[in-house]
Amino acid sequence: MNGKLTFGDKSIDLPIIEGTEKEKAIDIGKLRSTTGLITLDSGYSNTGSAKSKITYLNGEEGILRHRGYRIEDLALNCTFLEVAYLVIFGDLPSKEKLDNFSERVMRHALIDERIKDVFKAFPLATHPMALLEATTVALSAFYSSSEVYGKDTKDDLERNIFRLLGKLPSLVAYSYKKKRGLPYAYPNTDLNYVENFLQMVFNVPTRKYNSNPLFREAIEKLLILHVDHELNCSTSTVRMIGSSEANLYSSISGGISALSGALHGGANQAVLEMLEQIYQQGGNIKMFIERAKDKNDSFKLMGFGHRVYKNFDPRAVIVKDLCRTILKEQAENNPLFDLALELEEQALQDSYFQERKLYPNIDFYSGLIYKAMGFSNDMFTALFVVGRLPGWIAHWVEMRNDPHSRIDRPRQVYTGATERKFTPIKERS
Ligand code: ACO
């Protein structure tokens, strides 16, 4: 099937590409060479930059599937590493394959002792995301055997995938301990991925740490819910960096940087800070909703709205129930959770939010769960990093294995000055 584009007296046929879920795209690969035109799509809302087999997302109907499996089924029945295997390798693993995969990942949990010096060089108050950006890229100096920076062999690449999955939770735990001046806990490979992560974060030499089974289950679920979300800002960044043949560590570090922003992964921290602000200022929800609607006020309802979900975020539905269970477990009911529920209800009844299809996203609730488990606000986005890592890796590998993949290089519409006569500095006023 072809589409026709008419521009002045010119007209060209453009092929229509159809995905497996029947979604259609116009292939504009020949647009500039035949018409001289480019497309302009600020924020890329209408632009597909890849064909991908990893995740199907239908924002209108609230559908999210990885490699064909519904997120609801995966969150209910799988472990995080099982879903990581699925997105990276394409199929659900057998028990034997999963055991082997887990063993290889856990074998790489230990970090070169010299990475501690990298942590040491940073001020105590450094945000965990800054530490993760820096130390992830530092791993390439320790674990990339190639003589040409970025040009790893196939074997190196496979090992680097296991290394990243194994070491990232250790880096996150180190970031947590550093800020508190606490000794780093070594990984314990007798434990599973999530148990080991929790013990590395919360274990101190003076007190034996036993993780709460409900918290373990909640972290497992939250990590699964964050595994992949097709070509969002951070994943596109990872693919874009990798398209230049930069190595996996550098590409993932770029993804972490992109995720840190408050409009993306940083929103989970921003939601908690917003709820705390509303609570501390007397809980006047109506006033904050009015502020969010006021175009002269920069205040937004954090955790509300999504570029692709225009009905509901299926992950938020699961997280909301999880949040209720976790907070019920707490001796005292958390006033911020009640406030969050009330805020959600009032916003959903407001015509401003209804007309713009603004619904709570996953970040609206995830921070409350992390808080209840004892994580500090600045750790929330770092937890998102652990969850999103398999998705970033899967996309990077898919892009690098695609024989049609090229270096990403968008064009622009120039709106600056036309040619000006140069004036030497002595003659400038
Ligand atoms: N509060 C108030 N108004 C909002 C909000 C919000 N949270 N989100 C969107 N709007 C308004 C916009 O001002 C705009 O109004 P207008 O049409 O009158 O100009 C309209 O809704 C459409 O919003 P856009 O900004 O065009 O939507 P976009 O797709 O570009 O942005 C985003 C999506 C960044 C998620 C936005 O909704 C937002 O900033 N939300 C808060 C931050 C957040 O929760 N981010 C996490 C996203 S999920 C994730 O990355 C894990």
Side-chain angles (χ1 to χ4, degrees), residues 91-110:
D91 287 305
L92 282 168
S94 63
K95 165 93 174 65
E96 194 191 344
K97 280 184 179 159
L98 180 61
D99 288 348
N100 184 272
F101 177 65
S102 309
E103 198 272 320
R104 286 197 69 183
V105 167
M106 291 305 289
R107 203 192 302 158
H108 286 292
L110 202 60

Side-chain angles (χ1 to χ4, degrees), residues 58-106:
N58 179 329
E60 282 70 32
E61 292 175 31
I63 297 172
L64 176 63
R65 293 188 215 127
H66 299 314
R67 304 281 188 187
Y69 297 101
R70 294 169 67 229
I71 188 65
E72 292 84 354
D73 291 333
L74 297 174
L76 194 67
N77 299 299
C78 293
T79 62
F80 170 64
L81 283 187
E82 209 175 335
V83 182
Y85 184 103
L86 170 72
V87 294
I88 296 171
F89 300 109
D91 287 305
L92 282 168
S94 63
K95 165 93 174 65
E96 194 191 344
K97 280 184 179 159
L98 180 61
D99 288 348
N100 184 272
F101 177 65
S102 309
E103 198 272 320
R104 286 197 69 183
V105 167
M106 291 305 289

Side-chain angles (χ1 to χ4, degrees), residues 42-43 45 226 229 232-234 259 261-268 270-271 274 288-289 291-295 298-310 313 315 352-353 355-364 384 388:
S42 161
S45 324
H226 285 94
H229 217 225
N232 55 80
C233 177
S234 57
L259 191 76
L263 298 188
H264 193 10
N268 53 14
V271 169
M274 173 190 74
F288 281 92
I289 289 184
R291 282 190 59 194
K293 289 155 54 176
D294 181 355
K295 295 290 171 207
S298 61
F299 178 82
K300 274 185 174 184
L301 272 199
M302 299 313 287
F304 262 77
H306 201 279
R307 172 59 64 81
V308 287
Y309 290 124
K310 300 298 176 197
D313 178 345
R315 304 165 306 167
Y352 173 96
F353 291 87
E355 282 157 16
R356 289 167 181 76
K357 299 187 185 303
L358 301 171
Y359 296 89
N361 56 53
I362 186 169
D363 290 323
F364 191 70
F384 193 152
R388 183 53 54 88

Side-chain angles (χ1 to χ4, degrees), residues 14-15 26-33 406:
L14 295 169
I26 303 174
D27 179 349
I28 56 155
K30 299 257 182 306
L31 181 66
R32 188 169 176 276
S33 59
R406 304 162 72 198

Side-chain angles (χ1 to χ4, degrees), residues 9 13-14 27 46 63 76 90 97 106 136 139 231 238 260 266 289 311 329 340 381 385 389 405:
D9 55 1
D13 285 332
L14 295 169
D27 179 349
N46 305 283
I63 297 172
L76 194 67
K97 280 184 179 159
M106 291 305 289
T136 304
L139 291 179
L231 299 187
V238 170
S260 67
I289 289 184
N311 190 349
E329 165 95 344
T381 317
V385 172
L389 180 65
S405 148

Side-chain angles (χ1 to χ4, degrees), residues 45-296:
S45 324
N46 305 283
T47 300
S49 67
K51 289 182 194 163
S52 178
K53 294 182 164 54
I54 301 167
T55 289
Y56 173 65
L57 202 169
N58 179 329
E60 282 70 32
E61 292 175 31
I63 297 172
L64 176 63
R65 293 188 215 127
H66 299 314
R67 304 281 188 187
Y69 297 101
R70 294 169 67 229
I71 188 65
E72 292 84 354
D73 291 333
L74 297 174
L76 194 67
N77 299 299
C78 293
T79 62
F80 170 64
L81 283 187
E82 209 175 335
V83 182
Y85 184 103
L86 170 72
V87 294
I88 296 171
F89 300 109
D91 287 305
L92 282 168
S94 63
K95 165 93 174 65
E96 194 191 344
K97 280 184 179 159
L98 180 61
D99 288 348
N100 184 272
F101 177 65
S102 309
E103 198 272 320
R104 286 197 69 183
V105 167
M106 291 305 289
R107 203 192 302 158
H108 286 292
L110 202 60
I111 294 177
D112 190 303
E113 287 291 301
R114 287 166 294 179
I115 292 278
K116 286 184 184 166
D117 296 334
V118 180
F119 275 92
K120 216 171 172 182
F122 282 81
L124 211 58
T126 308
H127 194 284
M129 289 299 279
L131 289 170
L132 287 181
E133 286 160 35
T135 50
T136 304
V137 84
L139 291 179
S140 69
F142 290 88
Y143 300 110
S144 205
S145 60
S146 166
E147 283 177 21
V148 184
Y149 190 65
K151 276 265 175 202
D152 288 344
T153 63
K154 203 165 176 285
D155 280 355
D156 281 339
L157 172 61
E158 199 178 279
R159 249 196 309 276
N160 287 338
I161 291 174
F162 290 113
R163 280 184 181 130
L164 265 167
L165 288 167
K167 292 182 199 308
L168 201 94
S170 311
L171 295 178
V172 173
Y174 277 25
S175 314
Y176 183 83
K177 291 286 181 64
K178 179 195 164 70
K179 206 165 177 180
R180 287 157 184 78
L182 292 168
Y184 302 133
Y186 285 110
N188 178 349
T189 53
D190 292 338
L191 301 175
N192 71 28
Y193 196 78
V194 167
E195 282 173 321
N196 171 56
F197 173 55
L198 288 173
Q199 77 81 21
M200 282 194 296
V201 173
F202 294 117
N203 211 356
V204 283
T206 46
R207 205 165 7 97
K208 188 163 165 28
Y209 174 73
N210 289 313
S211 59
N212 177 331
L214 187 62
F215 289 1
R216 288 203 299 268
E217 193 194 318
I219 285 284
E220 192 97 55
K221 271 210 174 77
L222 281 166
L223 294 181
I224 293 171
L225 293 177
H226 285 94
V227 159
D228 191 48
H229 217 225
E230 50 127 283
L231 299 187
N232 55 80
C233 177
S234 57
T235 306
S236 300
T237 301
V238 170
R239 289 184 81 122
M240 184 175 247
I241 296 175
S243 77
S244 77
E245 296 197 353
N247 71 35
L248 183 62
Y249 298 105
S250 310
S251 308
I252 298 295
S253 172
I256 297 173
S257 308
L259 191 76
S260 67
L263 298 188
H264 193 10
N268 53 14
Q269 176 176 345
V271 169
L272 230 287
E273 284 165 0
M274 173 190 74
L275 292 173
E276 283 167 354
Q277 186 192 3
I278 300 175
Y279 185 69
Q280 279 155 15
Q281 292 185 17
N284 189 344
I285 292 172
K286 199 170 171 352
M287 189 258 284
F288 281 92
I289 289 184
E290 290 310 313
R291 282 190 59 194
K293 289 155 54 176
D294 181 355
K295 295 290 171 207
N296 298 316

